Amino acid sequence: MSSGGDVPATGSLVFQDSVFTNTDTGIITSFSGNSTPTAAGTLVLDNVNFINTDPAVQYKNGTVIIPGNQLVRSYVQGKAYTAYESMYTENNLTCYGPAANSARIQQLVGQPTKPTSLLLTDGPRAGMVLERSKPQYEGVPVTKFKSSYDFGCYGDGVRDDTANVQSFLNSVNYANGEIAYFDHGAYVIRHTITIPNTAKMVGELWPLMMVDGSAGSDFGDMNNPRVAFRVGQPGDKGTVEITDMVFQTLGSAPGAIMMEWNLAGTFPGATGMWDTHWRIGGGNGTQLQSNNCAKQPNFAHGASKTCYAAFLLLHLTKTASLVMSNNWGWVADHEMDLADHNQIDVYNGRGLLVESQGPVWIYGSSFEHSQLYNYNIANAKEIYMGVIQSETAYMQNNPNSLSNYPPLAGWSDPDFTQCYLPTCPKTFGLRIFNSTYIYNYGAGLYSFFNNYDGGCLRTTNCQQYTVSVVQSEAIYLYALNTVGTAIMVEVDQVALVPEAANGNTFADTVAIFEYP
């Protein structure tokens, strides 16, 4: 944390549930009361133990900031914002609305209360946030892996594989330790697939599950959205594990909910997804490519219906509880396989919708280029996110968010009623609506263009808002980084965190935004 000297070169860093052992010095930082830019060198420590390590944090000149050989519950250096409900008078009326105190700090701070549902409760790691590494199945005999091709699936990107895939998943004897192994290929899905509650699915080099929206399928009507892949029924418990899979569309599928996850684990962390992604358009066979969906920044236009993608990528419903790790929901912004590799306009409705009542753990995720939002935490509680990344759809605001997927109250969509600038109705990076006990440690929410023009980066006005908090409390966002957004955080339609006060090396950064 010391490179750059008085101009720290590190943007932000979070250590959580970590241990420094037998180290002369834990962290050396060049952040100080007069270092610039204001937010450069942001550092967050959350439940970090320094064992036989002294000091824990010090300046380059050796001056100790935090002595070592202790457990540091919570330390923050950088800009800190605490939101609260304020009372004020306007036109002789007493009014209430959100406000925030802010300060540039470098000190120990109070650690937020975390629900026990999110934490490990036994053993030496008790009190840490639950995590689970990707299952590798290295001890499973090869005979236990059942091949989708041996079973009769086509995987050719042309023929309807719905019945084959469903029969294959149902045929595997999971209770006997068998694993559903999807050979690499492209599996066309035209109707809902139900994943058994004890299924273990592994892909060979990310096989493509292609949700078809053409006539005769379930997924062509955005006014009647249907689930393509359903994991459990509401209230079910199980042990589903999905690794190394890719879900995408075959052409336009504006009525497709690509995956709905209802399942909770039989024990905390028993179920989840690892290295599993949603890759929408931009590749051979998707029909959402540069020959059909080329960008058109030189004239005002609406959204081409042939370039609509899906209704929603991933829905974690009220009863869902799972671990997610290394998951990417990417709506193509450029062509990958045709020779031109040009930028393209693909219109996907929504990214990740989380309505779970917890617990949910999301590690290392990215949702990019959807229309209404990339992350939407709605009517939810007890959700943990560690390192999230988002990009606003590049073509916006030509057209803007409202031109193709009308907001639906029943889906807790943002309606952009607060908007008065053209740069406002654009993809929300993170929206938190009517939710409590929501935690995010590390976020990069980027808006690089306005109608493919990156000149807006010079004045940081590519987008008006990127984080929206509505009717929520117990919200804790650490190391929040945004690019191209004028207002980093709004609460109940009140702008509380301006980018101008939080400059950093590349992004604008807030060490902590909390609404207790």
Side-chain angles (χ1 to χ4, degrees):
M1 297 292 288
S2 60
S3 63
D6 291 338
V7 185
T10 302
S12 64
L13 186 64
V14 176
F15 286 96
Q16 183 177 44
D17 293 344
S18 302
V19 179
F20 288 74
T21 305
N22 299 330
T23 305
D24 288 340
T25 302
I27 298 170
I28 301 174
T29 181
S30 58
F31 180 97
S32 67
N34 56 9
S35 60
T36 58
T38 301
T42 291
L43 174 63
V44 175
L45 305 181
D46 184 277
N47 195 37
V48 180
N49 202 1
F50 295 86
I51 299 173
N52 194 24
T53 299
D54 190 22
V57 183
Q58 72 171 41
Y59 290 117
K60 286 184 68 175
N61 64 8
T63 302
V64 174
I65 301 173
I66 305 176
N69 299 329
Q70 64 169 319
L71 175 65
V72 177
R73 293 292 185 186
S74 189
Y75 167 84
V76 171
Q77 64 182 36
K79 289 296 293 293
Y81 285 79
T82 300
Y84 62 95
E85 192 75 6
S86 69
M87 182 176 69
Y88 59 95
T89 301
E90 187 169 313
N91 296 327
N92 295 320
L93 297 174
T94 300
C95 303
Y96 297 87
N101 294 321
S102 67
R104 188 171 187 262
I105 64 174
Q106 189 175 22
Q107 64 190 57
L108 297 170
V109 297
Q111 188 181 39
T113 299
K114 299 186 185 81
T116 56
S117 69
L118 292 170
L119 306 178
L120 295 166
T121 55
D122 299 314
R125 300 183 68 246
M128 296 184 180
V129 178
L130 182 144
E131 58 182 318
R132 183 184 169 196
S133 297
K134 172 183 174 179
Q136 302 280 356
Y137 308 116
E138 62 270 28
V140 179
V142 69
T143 55
K144 295 290 187 180
F145 290 84
K146 301 304 175 181
S147 161
S148 60
Y149 281 176
D150 286 349
F151 188 83
C153 293
Y154 304 130
D156 60 10
V158 178
R159 289 176 287 182
D160 184 359
D161 252 331
T162 306
N164 296 332
V165 169
Q166 187 67 74
S167 296
F168 171 57
L169 288 171
N170 292 344
S171 73
V172 177
N173 189 346
Y174 306 107
N176 193 37
E178 292 182 355
I179 294 171
Y181 182 81
F182 281 89
D183 302 274
H184 185 71
Y187 300 77
V188 176
I189 305 299
R190 308 195 78 216
H191 308 286
T192 301
I193 297 290
T194 300
I195 297 174
N197 289 351
T198 56
K200 290 178 172 53
M201 297 169 53
V202 179
E204 177 192 28
L205 197 66
W206 292 287
L208 310 170
M209 311 305 285
M210 300 189 73
V211 177
D212 182 9
S214 63
S217 81
D218 288 341
F219 311 118
D221 184 2
M222 72 163 58
N223 296 311
N224 185 26
R226 302 284 186 86
V227 175
F229 287 83
R230 176 174 286 119
V231 184
Q233 300 295 331
D236 283 357
K237 292 186 177 182
T239 55
V240 168
E241 296 172 357
I242 302 176
T243 63
D244 300 309
M245 301 289 293
V246 168
F247 299 87
Q248 61 184 44
T249 67
L250 174 57
S252 175
I257 300 167
M258 298 295 287
M259 179 177 286
E260 176 187 272
W261 193 292
N262 300 293
L263 194 69
T266 54
F267 56 87
T271 188
M273 289 185 285
W274 296 263
D275 291 339
T276 291
H277 315 293
W278 293 261
R279 193 188 74 172
I280 308 298
N284 281 340
T286 66
Q287 301 175 17
L288 305 175
Q289 296 185 257
S290 58
N291 56 344
N292 296 320
C293 303
K295 69 175 183 180
Q296 299 173 315
N298 296 325
F299 64 93
H301 62 84
S304 170
K305 291 192 175 181
T306 60
C307 299
Y308 279 28
F311 181 87
L312 170 64
L313 298 186
L314 174 61
H315 184 194
L316 306 184
T317 68
K318 291 182 179 180
T319 61
S321 178
L322 73 158
V323 175
M324 292 176 57
S325 180
N326 191 30
N327 305 106
W328 192 18
W330 184 68
V331 180
D333 57 72
H334 66 275
E335 173 63 45
M336 294 183 289
D337 290 329
L338 296 180
D340 56 77
H341 298 299
N342 284 344
Q343 292 174 312
I344 58 177
D345 286 355
V346 176
Y347 303 94
N348 190 79
R350 302 154 182 85
L352 170 63
L353 172 61
V354 180
E355 295 185 305
S356 168
Q357 300 306 289
V360 169
W361 303 268
I362 302 174
Y363 286 97
S365 69
S366 175
F367 285 82
E368 301 180 295
H369 313 138
S370 286
Q371 293 296 302
L372 294 172
Y373 59 78
N374 287 322
Y375 292 84
N376 189 11
I377 316 299
N379 308 303
K381 65 179 182 180
E382 300 179 15
I383 310 298
Y384 172 90
M385 298 180 288
V387 187
I388 67 172
Q389 192 259 343
S390 157
E391 289 184 9
T392 294
Y394 290 5
M395 83 289 291
Q396 293 179 355
N397 59 358
N398 182 25
N400 65 25
S401 289
L402 298 172
S403 67
N404 39 69
Y405 288 88
L408 301 173
W411 286 90
S412 299
D413 288 339
D415 58 16
F416 300 96
T417 54
Q418 76 274 44
C419 289
Y420 59 89
L421 294 176
T423 55
C424 177
K426 302 179 75 170
T427 314
F428 272 118
L430 171 62
R431 180 173 183 259
I432 302 173
F433 171 74
N434 192 34
S435 297
T436 58
Y437 297 106
I438 310 300
Y439 304 83
N440 176 233
Y441 288 82
L445 310 179
Y446 308 130
S447 187
F448 292 132
F449 303 102
N450 192 28
N451 187 25
Y452 288 102
D453 184 353
C456 55
L457 290 172
R458 291 192 294 270
T459 51
T460 320
N461 68 344
C462 300
Q463 187 162 342
Q464 189 175 5
Y465 304 112
T466 191
V467 177
S468 177
V469 179
V470 182
Q471 301 172 21
S472 299
E473 60 183 358
I475 308 300
Y476 300 92
L477 310 178
Y478 291 88
L480 169 64
N481 295 269
T482 69
V483 168
T485 300
I487 303 299
M488 299 176 69
V489 183
E490 63 154 354
V491 175
D492 296 332
Q493 302 190 359
V494 177
L496 293 187
V497 183
E499 60 80 21
N502 300 290
N504 202 333
T505 54
F506 169 65
D508 302 302
T509 304
V510 170
I512 176 173
F513 174 85
E514 58 180 359
Y515 196 174

